[in-house]
Amino acid sequence: MHTETIAIHAGNLTHSTTGDVTLPISLSTTFFRDEDGGYPGGHMYSRVSNPNRSALEKVMTDLEKGADACAFSSGNAAGMTVFQALPPGSHIIAPDDMYWGFKKQLQSIFEGILSIDFIDLTEISEIEKHIKSNTVMIWVETPSNPLLKVTSLSAIAGLTKKHRLIFACDSTFASPCFQNPILQGADIVMHSSTKYIGGHSDVLGGILVTAAKNGLWDKIRNIQQIGGAVPSPFDCFLLLRSIKTLAYRMRGHAENGMALAKHLSAHPKVEAVFYPGLPSHPQYEIAKQQMSGFSGMMSILVKGDAKKIVNKVKLFAQATSLGGVESLIEHRASVEGPDTKTPQNLIRISVGLEHIDDLIADLEQALV
């Protein structure tokens, strides 16, 4: 089936006695056993599994062309579960501009437990120099946050297979509509489902999808079920509702994103536009090869005071997060704090689904 059809039908797991077309919300925390101690409905306790969560995991598995999925209460919880599943003393190679939430996790929560090299993963020839005897994983973020770097998935897959490493990919900026890392050799795909998958800035969540059910995946599933950082049934219901329109929303985000990127790239107050769909992007050819669309995420370098610009917008919401129907803007360095490596004149933009003329007009008046 095509993506649009999978998104609408893959999560329809149950046939209720009342004939619901949309999966009802199952709020029960516990489920009946039969006389033999089994669970005829397939669920025992809601921390372990729930009908709404199972439906969400099924549709995300199918969208990412994987073997199984685990849903979590946030994207950070999803990523942290992968790191928790690694043996103590493991070495990870991660991008130098890794999402700051994961970078903070690795530098604080996993300090003394895991070791990490943060390097530029777009420089493929340099990666092998950092592989050590205890290296177990390469974590890729493509496109990256906030510099929109694009890493070659096929090249990383070649390295990880050669050295028998785990290949994990944060594909949040692309969504399953525009990029399927498992088809290009990734072992695990991560999404902050708070973003494009949720799409309405009203639900928190994270997703892991695996290419194969193996020992690592058993550890991840165990941490999910025993650790308990799981989304509520209502959160899963909201995500399933949103996924049904994901493919169509992503087309709108990509159309607006491309139009705004082209406009800003010609603006005299803009030094640079980081958007993978522009031929001027350093990894444009790689992006074309592994992505079918470029979503609505971009960053720009401005001439002048970036903080003043984000304070002048009227239609864009100055707020953290991304992937919602409303356009968001932020001075990213302020969010990341004093130790950020993000340029002070960088503005990150999440292009929403408003009319493009209104978005352009708002930025025009702010850039004056």
Side-chain angles (χ1 to χ4, degrees):
M1 290 189 294
H2 292 82
T3 300
E4 295 85 348
T5 309
I6 292 170
I8 292 171
H9 289 288
N12 296 338
L13 297 181
T14 63
H15 297 282
S16 70
T17 56
T18 50
D20 302 77
V21 172
T22 299
L23 182 70
I25 303 173
S26 177
L27 295 176
S28 182
T29 57
T30 191
F31 300 87
F32 279 108
R33 291 185 178 186
D34 60 24
E35 293 179 354
D36 298 320
Y39 296 93
H43 302 281
M44 176 191 75
Y45 186 65
S46 197
R47 171 171 45 76
V48 176
S49 67
N50 165 277
N52 298 101
R53 193 162 88 239
S54 294
L56 173 60
E57 291 173 348
K58 173 65 166 62
V59 71
M60 286 304 302
T61 299
D62 290 356
L63 285 173
E64 279 294 5
K65 322 301 182 188
D68 199 11
C70 282
F72 296 86
S73 55
S74 71
N76 273 24
M80 186 164 66
T81 297
V82 176
F83 306 142
Q84 286 176 309
L86 303 178
S90 294
H91 173 249
I92 300 171
I93 294 173
D96 56 353
D97 64 336
M98 187 181 203
Y99 163 59
W100 74 279
F102 287 147
K103 195 168 188 177
K104 290 291 185 184
Q105 278 188 18
L106 291 170
Q107 291 175 328
S108 58
I109 296 173
F110 293 95
E111 183 180 10
I113 302 171
L114 303 174
S115 61
I116 312 99
D117 276 334
F118 298 102
I119 66 173
D120 185 352
L121 295 182
T122 66
E123 299 290 340
I124 300 298
S125 61
E126 296 296 308
I127 298 174
E128 207 158 13
K129 298 175 184 177
H130 294 269
I131 296 175
K132 306 174 183 178
S133 60
N134 62 332
T135 303
V136 298
M137 173 184 286
I138 298 179
W139 178 282
V140 170
E141 185 180 309
T142 185
S144 71
N145 179 11
L147 297 179
L148 280 296
K149 292 181 182 179
V150 175
T151 299
S152 171
L153 295 173
S154 59
I156 298 294
L159 276 177
T160 53
K161 284 178 173 57
K162 176 182 176 181
H163 294 277
R164 298 183 180 180
L165 307 176
I166 301 160
F167 176 9
C169 179
D170 180 346
S171 194
T172 297
F173 272 24
S175 89
C177 296
F178 291 153
Q179 184 171 268
N180 295 121
I182 286 173
L183 296 184
Q184 300 184 64
D187 299 304
I188 294 174
V189 180
M190 197 286 300
H191 289 278
S192 171
S193 49
T194 310
K195 312 306 192 294
Y196 281 119
I197 291 166
H200 294 77
S201 303
D202 57 6
V203 59
L204 202 64
I207 299 285
L208 296 175
V209 183
T210 185
K213 295 182 180 180
N214 51 27
L216 175 65
W217 189 249
D218 289 342
K219 291 180 181 179
I220 287 171
R221 178 66 79 180
N222 184 60
I223 294 168
Q224 181 213 34
Q225 294 179 340
I226 304 303
V230 294
S232 71
F234 186 57
D235 288 346
C236 295
F237 172 85
L238 289 175
L239 289 170
L240 283 163
R241 170 217 60 181
S242 295
I243 287 171
K244 293 178 189 295
T245 61
L246 177 62
Y248 298 94
R249 286 188 287 107
M250 292 309 297
R251 290 176 199 170
H253 286 296
E255 181 180 338
N256 275 359
M258 181 67 79
L260 187 60
K262 287 180 177 178
H263 179 84
L264 291 175
S265 65
H267 199 286
K269 294 290 184 70
V270 176
E271 288 184 3
V273 177
F274 304 130
Y275 185 71
L278 291 179
S280 58
H281 190 283
Q283 294 92 41
Y284 172 67
E285 293 300 327
I286 295 172
K288 276 201 312 179
Q289 181 270 322
Q290 65 190 30
M291 301 177 72
S292 59
F294 306 107
S295 79
M297 290 305 302
M298 71 183 68
S299 289
I300 62 173
L301 298 180
V302 297
K303 299 173 183 177
D305 189 343
K307 289 184 181 179
K308 184 181 292 186
I309 293 168
V310 299
N311 285 325
K312 283 182 66 178
V313 293
K314 297 175 181 177
L315 184 59
F316 283 81
Q318 187 181 169
T320 294
S321 198
L322 58 100
V325 294
E326 64 290 305
S327 293
L328 304 179
I329 194 168
E330 68 179 359
H331 180 244
R332 189 65 196 169
S334 296
V335 176
E336 296 179 357
D339 60 343
T340 182
K341 298 294 191 295
T342 298
Q344 290 296 322
N345 65 330
L346 182 140
I347 294 173
R348 193 186 75 176
I349 300 171
S350 174
V351 186
L353 300 180
E354 303 92 342
H355 196 285
I356 187 59
D357 291 349
D358 297 325
L359 296 177
I360 288 174
D362 191 28
L363 282 179
E364 280 290 337
Q365 64 83 27
L367 285 164
V368 172

